[in-house]
Amino acid sequence: MATTNMVDVGDAQLACTDVGSGSPVVWLHGSGPGATGMSNFGGNLAAFQDYRNIVVDLPGWGSSPRPDTGEPLIFDAAERVCRAMTALGIERAHLVGNSYGGAVAMRIAMRHPERVDRVVLMAPGGVLPADAPPWPVGLERLFGYMAAQKPSREAMAEFVRLMVFDETLATESLIDERYESSLRAHPELPIPPNFGDLTPDLALISAPTLLVWGREDQTVPLTWAPKILEGIPNAELRVLPNCRHWVQYERAPEFNHIVREFLQGGAAAAAEG
């Protein structure tokens, strides 16, 4: 049974949903408008009931207030997630991060390797190739939505449709849910956002790392993957065709299978050791 609690992380609180039992997995959502931990990953959790799943609303999203901080968003969020893990009695965990949440997962793995087992990253942010073109259309829509004084439902619909290859998955109920959630926390991101650059420290990630990418991603494009793949010493990449940015939603059965297989590999290796 899922329980959601506000967890004290010092100068703020994080909303964390706790479901399942077993080895802990911390799920970290993306930065899109209206995002929450459960909106990103709620549909995946049934496949992970033999794990203790901690699904976080990152600072400024969902039910988690955004505290005042001068730190880059990724750096600040990573420290608060670590404090939440401590408050919940979790010494080590697998990390699963989507987009911005993937960047937060990478930062935790860089700064606190003793707290990380395995890392799954879906099209993570925080690493921008030097030769990157102007912002992809998905990020343009995201930043435009956040910058609007009162964004429209149609703007949310356009954003959601860009997240999936099969636009029938951009249902009216999903658009409504994300729109209403975004209005409660708007704007989740400061504009312009100071995310922070993880590029110089990629080699500090010692945990086995799985990158999962949608081939047609228009938000964090596949062409940005090689820099991360080459920078993390023990990383591998899986690419799913006919799929955009929301891999865990658009290709849920394949995503669940790939991630379970990867996490179970970690458990097997630990048992052998």
Side-chain angles (χ1 to χ4, degrees):
M1 181 176 178
T3 59
T4 301
N5 295 298
M6 298 302 294
V7 178
D8 188 348
V9 293
D11 59 347
Q13 292 185 318
L14 287 187
C16 296
T17 299
D18 197 330
V19 57
S21 60
S23 300
V25 181
V26 176
W27 300 79
L28 303 168
H29 65 77
S31 65
T36 67
M38 291 300 287
S39 73
N40 268 208
F41 302 116
N44 303 102
L45 297 181
F48 294 88
Q49 288 296 309
D50 51 339
Y51 290 90
R52 180 186 178 188
N53 301 285
I54 306 298
V55 187
V56 178
D57 284 356
L58 290 167
W61 278 267
S63 298
S64 295
R66 185 173 72 204
D68 291 332
T69 177
E71 273 199 290
L73 296 175
I74 294 167
F75 300 178
D76 178 74
E79 294 307 312
R80 295 180 193 281
V81 170
C82 283
R83 290 181 214 160
M85 288 171 60
T86 299
L88 293 167
I90 298 170
E91 293 184 9
R92 289 175 64 91
H94 301 300
L95 305 179
V96 181
N98 175 43
S99 196
Y100 171 66
V104 174
M106 286 194 287
R107 176 70 175 182
I108 295 171
M110 292 168 179
R111 301 286 289 185
H112 305 283
E114 75 284 355
R115 308 208 64 171
V116 178
D117 285 323
R118 292 196 155 209
V119 181
V120 179
L121 308 170
M122 296 92 80
V127 178
L128 188 66
D131 59 349
W135 291 122
V137 62
L139 287 181
E140 284 187 351
R141 294 281 170 83
L142 188 158
F143 294 145
Y145 190 99
M146 295 293 192
Q149 185 173 359
K150 190 178 188 306
S152 67
R153 184 188 181 279
E154 182 52 35
M156 174 60 77
E158 291 174 357
F159 171 77
V160 170
R161 291 182 193 118
L162 278 171
M163 297 298 107
V164 290
F165 182 82
D166 178 0
E167 291 191 6
T168 64
L169 295 172
T171 62
E172 296 301 308
S173 61
L174 174 60
I175 292 165
D176 285 338
E177 176 191 341
R178 291 289 295 240
Y179 182 57
E180 291 164 10
S181 177
S182 75
L183 294 182
R184 289 194 294 271
H186 187 75
E188 294 101 324
L189 281 178
I191 299 294
N194 177 13
F195 283 114
D197 183 13
L198 301 177
T199 309
D201 295 326
L202 286 172
L204 297 179
I205 300 176
S206 57
T209 301
L210 173 66
L211 299 172
V212 184
W213 230 286
R215 188 179 64 187
E216 285 77 25
D217 194 327
Q218 293 184 307
T219 305
V220 181
L222 180 59
T223 54
W224 293 10
K227 191 162 191 173
I228 302 173
L229 185 64
E230 293 161 9
I232 299 175
N234 192 6
E236 57 188 280
L237 171 65
R238 294 287 297 270
V239 179
L240 300 183
N242 303 318
C243 182
R244 289 186 182 166
H245 195 53
W246 286 350
V247 178
Q248 78 281 4
Y249 172 66
E250 185 163 23
R251 299 289 294 276
E254 297 97 321
F255 172 84
N256 295 341
H257 175 77
I258 291 167
V259 173
R260 283 191 59 86
E261 183 178 61
F262 181 72
L263 298 186
Q264 289 167 351
E272 292 170 5

